[in-house]
Amino acid sequence: MTVTANEHKNRNALQRGQRVALAASLATLLLAVLKALVGWYSQAPVLVADAFHSGADLLAIFASYFGLWLAGKSKSDRFPYGLYKAETLVTLLVGGLIVWAGVELLGESWHKLWAPAEVVNFPLLPLLTSALSVVASLFIALKERQVGLAINSQSLLANAGESFLDVITSTVVLAGLLLGYWRLPYVEGAIILLIALLVIKLGGSSCWTAFLLLLDANLDPQLSRDLERQVDAIYGVKGESEVRLRQAGPFHMVECVIFTHPALPLYRAHELADRAEQAIAAHCPHVESVFVHVEPLRDELRLAIVPVAEINGLQSRVYGHFGRAPYFMLLQLSDQDVEVVDFYFNEFLDQPKFIGLKVIKAVVAYRIDLLFTPRIGEISFYMLRDNFVDIYAAAEGQTAQQVIDGFRAGDLQLITEPTHSIDQSLVETQDHSD
């Protein structure tokens, strides 16, 4: 079963990311041009190198915008899963360009590293430009991070990290301009070298992450484990479920395999799959689609409950009415064996109404799979059915062993509707109280 999330909501999230990425691209472009012009005019190569770094950031941010724009396109017959991965593909291509720009900058840094420091005037204009870059980069980083977390855009979050790095770089440039003014050797070249290495790291990290995502790598195994725990907690799911994640742009696509007992009817398996889908969507808000596959669990241990008249192991005899039985026997069944887990005293016998309902509320906590009983009322029947419990007819006076043997031989009939109504239960309750 495949369920697609609200496409309108996804498109709104993508458009919000586009607006932030476009605004950040324009702001970064202005910063890069300003630093390049001021650096050239003031003969401050370290500021020109910082402009190179901002240019690399600009490519990454614009790639994020372009990818989010493509991802926002509607699905079609040719692209039934959408174009969400366009963001990842563009990030991979631009990451390669950023690495190339960093390598080019390395040559410049090597030349400046061994060049003697030049006498320059006090770099007031470059200092003001770097200070402006610190403030602007910090604002851009905070906005990218806020929206990136809101829409789960990995490219925006990566750009936020690089914008924070740009804040640090601009601060270092500030220090470098002052140290260069004091004619300290190697400072200018060392700072340009540092910026070149940061640019290469930015490009390499973007390429590697995008490459892994295009190969459908799971970059968030903790989220997979959390989703598996959410699904395993659903009543009716047996064994351990399997959840696989792959990311397409800012959204997750989830595939889930759940296990249940083989006798579960098709419509009940469908209902169980719906519950698993809802649990995943509630725990993973940035999910685009969920595919749930239901598999029968072979060689499983199943818990069964039998209303009995006395405590005598597997020779205990079945009581005629579920809710008014003095005791309940809990059994654990496998393909070959049966084990008595425990006996429970019916503590609700002295209460006048709805005894069966109160008993059900107590026993469902044990996540039982089967109930063997001669009779069951309307409320108890529907509550057990909603909790994926199969109810089989057992003859009053049979031993628990005979009931289990009959179940394994296929001789017991599945109860598909209550054996008596609520009104009949109330009448019988009045008779017992008299």
Side-chain angles (χ1 to χ4, degrees):
M1 179 187 62
T2 304
V3 179
T4 305
N6 190 313
E7 291 189 25
H8 180 68
K9 178 181 177 182
N10 289 349
R11 191 171 291 112
N12 286 341
L14 291 171
Q15 289 174 351
R16 183 183 179 190
Q18 292 171 32
R19 290 192 295 269
V20 170
L22 182 59
S25 297
L26 294 175
T28 306
L29 174 62
L30 292 176
L31 278 178
V33 171
L34 179 63
K35 286 189 278 190
L37 291 176
V38 172
W40 171 78
Y41 175 79
S42 304
Q43 297 183 353
V46 68
L47 193 58
V48 175
D50 195 23
F52 235 94
H53 184 206
S54 295
D57 285 343
L58 172 62
L59 289 175
I61 297 171
F62 184 77
S64 176
Y65 163 74
F66 183 68
L68 288 168
W69 175 75
L70 278 179
K73 296 296 182 181
S74 299
K75 297 177 181 179
S76 64
D77 293 338
R78 188 174 182 84
F79 299 101
Y81 295 100
L83 291 170
Y84 301 126
K85 286 196 173 183
E87 178 191 11
T88 309
L89 178 60
V90 173
T91 301
L92 177 64
L93 298 176
V94 174
L97 295 176
I98 293 175
V99 172
W100 173 81
V103 172
E104 289 291 314
L105 200 56
L106 273 178
E108 175 69 15
S109 68
W110 184 258
H111 171 73
K112 289 292 183 181
L113 190 62
W114 303 109
E118 299 178 2
V119 178
V120 295
N121 296 323
F122 184 75
L124 178 61
L125 189 56
L127 286 173
L128 292 176
T129 303
S130 292
L132 175 63
S133 176
V134 170
V135 176
S137 297
L138 181 60
F139 177 79
I140 292 171
L142 292 174
K143 193 63 178 178
E144 287 175 328
R145 178 174 175 78
Q146 177 190 1
V147 177
L149 288 172
I151 70 172
N152 196 39
S153 172
Q154 298 304 308
S155 61
L156 278 181
L157 290 174
N159 290 336
E162 297 308 324
S163 295
F164 281 120
L165 183 61
D166 204 28
V167 173
I168 299 174
T169 303
S170 297
T171 304
V172 173
V173 168
L174 272 171
L177 288 169
L178 290 173
L179 294 173
Y181 171 71
W182 292 329
R183 295 192 299 175
L184 295 178
Y186 312 117
V187 170
E188 202 171 56
I191 292 177
I192 297 175
L193 175 62
L194 175 62
I195 294 174
L197 294 175
L198 290 177
V199 169
I200 292 173
K201 175 185 177 296
L202 163 62
S205 176
S206 298
C207 284
W208 179 243
T209 301
F211 178 72
L212 291 177
L213 289 177
L214 288 173
L215 292 179
D216 287 333
N218 182 8
L219 302 185
D220 195 351
Q222 182 59 47
L223 178 59
S224 298
R225 290 190 290 269
D226 290 343
L227 293 179
E228 287 173 352
R229 283 194 291 268
Q230 293 291 322
V231 173
D232 289 342
I234 298 173
Y235 204 112
V237 174
K238 308 299 178 183
E240 295 182 356
S241 59
E242 299 174 6
V243 172
R244 291 188 292 272
L245 292 175
R246 58 189 180 95
Q247 189 162 330
F251 305 115
H252 288 107
M253 295 184 177
V254 185
E255 297 178 10
C256 178
V257 178
I258 61 176
F259 297 91
T260 190
H261 55 79
L264 195 69
L266 179 60
Y267 78 96
R268 301 292 285 159
H270 183 84
E271 182 181 344
L272 194 61
D274 284 342
R275 293 190 182 185
E277 175 211 328
Q278 293 165 7
I280 290 172
H283 196 74
C284 185
H286 301 292
V287 65
E288 199 277 338
S289 63
V290 181
F291 179 87
V292 180
H293 184 67
V294 182
E295 287 280 354
L297 183 64
R298 304 297 179 182
D299 300 327
E300 60 169 323
L301 292 176
R302 305 172 70 180
L303 284 178
I305 196 164
V306 185
V308 293
E310 74 275 343
I311 299 176
N312 190 22
L314 291 175
Q315 299 306 310
S316 302
R317 297 196 173 274
V318 176
Y319 194 78
H321 192 287
F322 170 72
R324 298 188 184 87
Y327 305 99
F328 297 97
M329 174 189 291
L330 187 63
L331 303 174
Q332 182 171 272
L333 309 180
S334 65
D335 287 344
Q336 304 296 331
D337 300 321
V338 56
E339 176 186 352
V340 177
V341 177
D342 209 344
F343 282 88
Y344 297 96
F345 172 71
N346 189 349
E347 57 183 313
F348 306 106
L349 286 175
D350 58 344
Q351 300 186 16
K353 293 184 179 180
F354 305 117
I355 298 176
L357 176 61
K358 296 169 183 176
V359 171
I360 293 299
K361 289 182 177 180
V363 300
V364 292
Y366 296 98
R367 298 174 68 94
I368 61 173
D369 305 296
L370 302 167
L371 168 65
F372 301 105
T373 183
R375 304 181 67 213
I376 186 166
E378 194 170 345
I379 297 177
S380 300
F381 172 83
Y382 288 112
M383 187 172 181
L384 285 171
R385 193 186 67 171
D386 288 343
N387 284 280
F388 297 92
V389 178
D390 291 331
I391 307 170
Y392 286 89
E396 183 176 2
Q398 278 188 314
T399 66
Q401 184 66 63
Q402 290 172 328
V403 170
I404 299 304
D405 292 341
F407 171 71
R408 287 178 171 161
D411 297 334
L412 298 189
Q413 182 180 359
L414 184 67
I415 297 178
T416 57
E417 58 184 17
T419 58
H420 52 279
S421 67
I422 297 177
D423 292 336
Q424 289 175 311
S425 297
L426 293 175
V427 170
E428 292 177 2
T429 299
Q430 183 65 37
D431 292 341
H432 277 79
S433 62
D434 293 341

